[in-house]
Amino acid sequence: MPLDFIPAPRRVRLLWIFIALNLGFYAVFSWLDQPLRTPAAPAGIVSYELAANPLAAQAMLASWDETAHVSAAFGLGFDFLFMPSYAVALSLAVMLAAGRRRGRFWAAAGKTLGWGAFAAVGFDAVENIALFSILLYGAASPLPELAFVCAIIKFLILLFGIFYALTGWLFSQ
């Protein structure tokens, strides 16, 4: 596991600290997302991440005013501070869940998802660079497609990690 160096007695407390930190990040992102919610981007930044093609991405950019463009740019940069925080929180949650159940498959899945939380950061970073480039230079291929693929991979890793952590806590042996 990637965070094995953290002493076992400190892991739960550290997890709660990172959960609280992530809730703070979420509050900022919720505020930044308000100007991004338009008919072309009903889910705000998530719509932009999942645009998947130049026409959809360009329609979102056109639907945003100057405040929204600044908010999107700031949010993409701010996300780089959030990435290590969510990776540590998820990796700790997976690590703790891995210790609550027995079995070879469970342990292997935990190790994979513990490292996967940090791999998600790499996909998130590539996604953000592509989205920022679209903001600056327009929605030309392959940028929207690249952001979409990276976002899907990131979301899947995070969802599997969250599912694993919850399963480990709810159905421990």
Side-chain angles (χ1 to χ4, degrees):
M1 292 291 234
L3 301 176
D4 278 337
F5 65 90
I6 298 171
R10 294 188 179 163
R11 291 176 184 166
V12 172
R13 183 170 182 249
L14 195 57
L15 174 61
W16 285 112
I17 290 168
F18 274 92
I19 287 173
L21 183 60
N22 288 335
L23 289 173
F25 277 111
Y26 181 74
V28 172
F29 283 123
S30 293
W31 178 72
L32 289 170
D33 203 49
Q34 292 310 308
L36 304 180
R37 293 179 182 271
T38 64
I45 197 71
V46 174
S47 294
Y48 186 47
E49 292 171 347
L50 300 176
N53 65 67
L55 290 175
Q58 194 59 48
M60 289 177 208
L61 292 177
S63 75
W64 293 344
D65 61 14
E66 187 62 30
T67 300
H69 282 261
V70 170
S71 184
F74 183 81
L76 291 170
F78 189 68
D79 197 26
F80 281 93
L81 297 175
F82 178 50
M83 291 177 202
S85 180
Y86 75 64
V88 169
L90 185 58
S91 190
L92 278 169
V94 165
M95 174 187 275
L96 291 166
R100 296 178 61 87
R101 294 190 65 170
R102 292 185 186 10
R104 216 172 170 147
F105 174 77
W106 185 257
K111 187 173 187 175
T112 300
L113 290 168
W115 284 106
F118 291 96
V121 168
F123 288 104
D124 202 355
V126 172
E127 169 200 320
N128 284 359
I129 291 167
L131 294 172
F132 194 73
S133 296
I134 293 167
L135 271 175
L136 291 176
Y137 307 113
S141 284
L143 294 174
E145 296 88 348
L146 176 62
F148 173 79
V149 169
C150 288
I152 292 294
I153 294 169
K154 170 193 73 177
F155 287 136
L156 286 174
I157 291 170
L158 297 177
L159 287 172
F160 279 121
I162 291 166
F163 178 76
Y164 179 95
L166 290 174
T167 301
W169 280 96
L170 296 174
F171 303 105
S172 63
Q173 294 174 339

